[in-house]
Amino acid sequence: MIVMKFGGSSVANRKQIEKVLAIVRGRAGRTPLVVSSAHKGMTDALLSGAREAARGVYAPERVIERQAAIARDLGCDDALLAPFYEEISALYRGLSLVRELSLRSLDYAASFGERMAVRVIADFFTREGLPAQAFDVWDLGFLTDAAFGSARPLPGYEAAMQRAVRERVPAGVVPVVTGFVGKTEAGDITTVGRNGSDLTATLVGAAIAAEEVEIWSDTDGVMTADPSVVKKARSISEMRFDEAAELAYFGSRVLHPSTLVPAMQKNIPVRVLNTNRPEHPGTVIREAAPPSELSATSIAYKEGQLAVTIRSTRMFGAAGFLGEAFQALGRHEVVVDMIATSEVSVSFTTDRREPLDRALPDLERLGEVRVEAGKTLMVVVGRRLAAQAGLGAAILQAVADAGVNVEMVSYGMKSISLTMLVADKDVGAASAVLHERLFERA
């Protein structure tokens, strides 16, 4: 069995869903399980409608008509989604009356995109001659904790999913399953995080011991750089799990940051493919990959960083100062992306303002604190970084030649990534020169 995940752009409209049908039909012999995102833009529309409702603007018809237009174009009966339209209207009505929007309500609102998408896709597949059945993922045993917005499956979900898939999916029928969402044991709908259908796919793949997980999007696999910034970016044929995980965390737009963890734990290959060019081999990500002749694997970046510096003479030759700082960050749930220290200062970055604001009073008791916004983490990932003499210097020189100032550097011993902090405005210039030096001259 294989798991095939299709993103929002892949199921945006009838033209795209026809491409998906042809791809899935071509893999029918491998017993595919399809995980689908919402149609492109639907999740944002649903959340926007919920927020408007909480401000007293009751307008469910906007999102309902958007979904209904796609369903009609696919030839679906109006009755197929009528219960969901009623449920959306009732939810928005309730929000407009209480004027309150909780994380639970946001997850509930967001869930309709996937729940409606899988039903119209399965209905369309079946009428086109490929028997399919829609499933909400919790009906196949995927129950989660109550961490709304970032839920994770409960321990033991794997056995529950194996049993449910075996007992509930008819032979010869393609299950079309909701990505992104889950449900608690109490019956509350959750989500695993924005763009989380990738994560759903690998969690399902790990549970059912899939032969492979395919992630279908609108790019030719994982690229050597963001193609919207570097026009000469090219596809990477094979890469290791650790390289892809670094890229995903540090801003690669192709994979959700947590996607690879379940696949790594069960050693299931993940293949990233292009719905619009299904003949392209894309990128296969696995535990071991053949040696590369290139110095690096890819460049990624993570914008919107806050750079924080704590300066104090108490640090000089003293034990425990960093421990106090990290305890303060931990108490207030500040997630640190990058860190560097000297004898009298420690600098770190984070991308969430609210937890940092909560932590600032505690940090200011340790020393002088400076916060700077508008920063980007640029990372070069490659398995040869630690072994090739002068490569780190060449990377820094390339950024300097682009006229970009590196404000902070992080590079762990035997690391496969070198991270630099630059200004947001310098991302394009730094990416272009780095790509030219690392990939175009090779």
Side-chain angles (χ1 to χ4, degrees):
M1 187 174 235
I2 63 170
V3 173
M4 306 175 69
K5 177 265 175 180
F6 292 91
S9 60
S10 297
V11 298
N13 50 43
R14 177 172 181 137
K15 181 180 178 181
Q16 290 300 106
I17 294 171
E18 286 176 341
K19 295 177 185 177
V20 171
L21 171 61
I23 292 167
V24 176
R25 199 194 300 274
R27 285 162 167 72
R30 299 175 69 187
T31 317
L33 180 152
V34 172
V35 172
S36 178
S37 296
H39 308 300
K40 186 176 182 179
M42 275 300 300
T43 301
D44 286 337
L46 286 159
L47 292 174
S48 177
R51 293 187 179 103
E52 287 184 350
R55 293 195 296 267
V57 180
Y58 175 69
E61 65 279 356
R62 297 176 190 171
V63 69
I64 290 172
E65 180 51 38
R66 182 172 185 155
Q67 176 65 63
I70 296 172
R72 285 193 298 268
D73 197 31
L74 289 167
C76 300
D77 191 295
D78 289 344
L80 179 65
L81 297 182
F84 293 97
Y85 299 156
E86 293 174 6
E87 198 174 345
I88 291 169
S89 298
L91 171 62
Y92 283 8
R93 171 63 69 188
L95 293 173
S96 69
L97 292 173
V98 300
R99 301 291 184 95
E100 185 178 329
L101 190 59
S102 64
L103 289 175
R104 178 187 280 106
S105 298
L106 283 170
D107 275 6
Y108 182 26
S111 74
F112 286 101
E114 270 77 3
R115 293 161 67 196
M116 294 187 293
V118 298
R119 283 160 175 82
V120 299
I121 292 168
D123 181 71
F124 178 70
F125 278 14
T126 300
R127 286 184 285 105
E128 291 293 313
L130 182 65
Q133 183 175 336
F135 290 91
D136 292 320
V137 71
W138 52 79
D139 290 329
L140 294 179
F142 191 87
L143 297 180
T144 74
D145 57 30
F148 297 101
S150 57
R152 291 296 179 266
L154 296 176
Y157 87 97
E158 296 98 333
M161 288 209 78
Q162 287 177 16
R163 183 170 58 253
V165 169
R166 185 172 59 249
E167 295 176 355
R168 298 183 184 180
V169 179
V173 170
V174 175
V176 184
V177 182
T178 54
F180 175 56
V181 297
K183 184 179 279 188
T184 68
E185 290 180 305
D188 292 320
I189 291 176
T190 60
T191 67
V192 298
R194 285 307 302 266
N195 304 312
S197 293
D198 290 353
L199 177 57
T200 301
T202 54
L203 286 168
V204 171
I208 64 174
E211 166 194 337
E212 185 172 89
V213 174
E214 295 181 347
I215 306 292
W216 291 84
S217 64
D218 55 3
T219 63
D220 291 335
V222 182
M223 310 292 284
T224 51
D226 182 352
S228 68
V229 174
V230 179
K231 300 305 179 186
K232 293 186 178 180
R234 58 193 195 227
S235 177
I236 303 164
S237 60
E238 293 193 56
M239 61 194 311
R240 297 188 323 206
F241 280 132
D242 56 354
E243 294 173 300
E246 288 276 351
L247 289 172
Y249 182 78
F250 282 107
S252 172
R253 274 58 174 168
V254 178
L255 293 171
H256 182 279
S258 301
T259 296
L260 295 170
V261 175
M264 292 169 72
Q265 292 172 342
K266 296 297 179 71
N267 198 19
I268 298 172
V270 175
R271 195 177 297 270
V272 184
L273 298 154
N274 189 344
T275 306
N276 300 312
R277 297 214 304 159
E279 72 284 356
H280 192 283
T283 303
V284 62
I285 306 166
R286 58 177 109 228
E287 182 65 33
S292 172
E293 296 180 358
L294 296 174
S295 299
T297 301
S298 185
I299 304 162
Y301 60 91
K302 191 174 184 181
E303 300 165 291
Q305 291 282 309
L306 298 163
V308 183
T309 300
I310 307 170
R311 186 177 297 276
S312 173
T313 54
R314 285 178 51 198
M315 285 185 66
F316 192 83
F321 183 89
L322 288 179
E324 291 181 55
F326 292 143
Q327 285 175 4
L329 296 175
R331 280 195 302 273
H332 299 286
E333 300 180 325
V334 177
V335 177
V336 173
D337 290 324
M338 178 184 185
I339 189 165
T341 66
S342 72
E343 283 298 332
V344 294
S345 70
V346 56
S347 298
F348 64 89
T349 69
T350 185
D351 62 356
R352 293 179 58 207
R353 185 91 208 196
E354 185 182 358
L356 177 61
D357 286 342
R358 293 197 305 266
L360 282 177
D362 288 349
L363 297 178
E364 287 168 346
R365 284 192 279 271
L366 298 176
E368 176 191 345
V369 178
R370 185 176 72 251
V371 180
E372 298 179 61
K375 306 299 181 184
T376 290
L377 291 179
M378 291 206 67
V379 60
V380 176
V381 173
R383 68 191 80 157
R384 297 175 64 187
L385 288 181
Q388 186 170 330
L391 183 53
I395 290 169
L396 293 171
Q397 185 62 56
V399 176
D401 290 347
V404 174
N405 181 41
V406 174
E407 302 179 50
M408 186 174 165
V409 176
S410 177
Y411 179 59
M413 186 173 179
K414 300 188 183 301
S415 176
I416 63 167
S417 65
L418 188 154
T419 308
M420 300 161 284
L421 186 71
V422 302
D424 284 346
K425 64 180 178 61
D426 292 328
V427 168
S431 296
V433 175
L434 272 172
H435 193 272
E436 189 269 335
R437 300 284 175 87
L438 295 173
F439 300 103
E440 296 168 39
R441 292 185 180 181

